[in-house]
Amino acid sequence: MTTERTTADTLAKTLRDAIIRFSRRVRQARPVGDLTFSQLSALTSLQLAGALTPRELADMERVQPPTMTKIVGKLEERGLVARTPHPTDGRQVILAPTDEGRAVYAFNERARNEWLAGELDRLTPEERETLAQAAEIMLRVARG
């Protein structure tokens, strides 16, 4: 194995570990409430993607359809998600966040952003610039 490959492998492990820890910390910054991580994740996916079929949402969340049915049921009970008939396939429905669902999403998003902004305020300007550059690179890598 070349030194270049070893360096890339080491960076990949370090970066993956940092991303996992960072993601956990951001999730922990959400307001304490009665939405589970899975429910909030599904609501977020609907908010970002727009209307989806239950199958599309399950695929996006990487869960089995029966699991997604339970998650969506809980979100519907709370009035956060609504079903409408599929425009071209009468056997399917389309899921979308309600006004209340969009408000809950926005509230959680603000809380996480406020936490992160506070953490970034503690960094030096140079560190913030480095993170800005890293974020652009990570987005490029994520897009493939």
Side-chain angles (χ1 to χ4, degrees):
M1 189 178 281
T2 67
T3 303
E4 190 173 301
R5 178 79 249 161
T6 302
T7 302
D9 289 345
T10 301
L11 176 58
K13 181 185 180 329
T14 301
L15 188 57
R16 185 178 43 79
D17 289 348
I19 291 168
I20 289 168
R21 288 174 187 257
F22 182 77
S23 292
R24 284 185 188 142
R25 186 59 191 98
V26 170
R27 280 195 313 265
Q28 291 170 349
R30 74 182 177 91
V32 175
D34 55 350
L35 279 185
T36 66
F37 286 126
S38 297
Q39 291 165 353
L40 185 57
S41 182
L43 183 61
T44 298
S45 291
L46 286 171
Q47 176 67 24
L48 297 177
L52 296 170
T53 66
R55 180 61 190 225
E56 290 168 333
L57 183 57
D59 289 346
M60 185 175 279
E61 292 293 306
R62 297 189 183 257
V63 299
Q64 294 298 314
T67 300
M68 186 51 64
T69 298
K70 291 176 185 174
I71 292 169
V72 168
K74 294 292 186 184
L75 292 172
E76 281 183 297
E77 285 175 15
R78 296 207 40 205
L80 304 177
V81 170
R83 295 176 189 253
T84 57
H86 193 286
T88 60
D89 185 347
R91 300 167 296 168
Q92 292 200 52
V93 296
I94 299 292
L95 303 170
T98 61
D99 289 342
E100 179 67 18
R102 285 188 284 279
V104 167
Y105 166 82
F107 177 74
N108 279 273
E109 189 75 1
R110 271 191 310 278
R112 290 183 297 216
N113 287 344
E114 287 171 7
W115 169 82
L116 184 53
E119 295 299 309
L120 293 173
D121 283 344
R122 296 175 17 187
L123 302 177
T124 65
E126 294 80 17
E127 289 171 323
R128 285 193 297 272
E129 178 57 31
T130 299
L131 284 178
Q133 292 172 3
E136 289 177 20
I137 294 166
M138 291 171 68
L139 285 171
R140 191 171 68 232
V141 169
R143 288 185 195 113

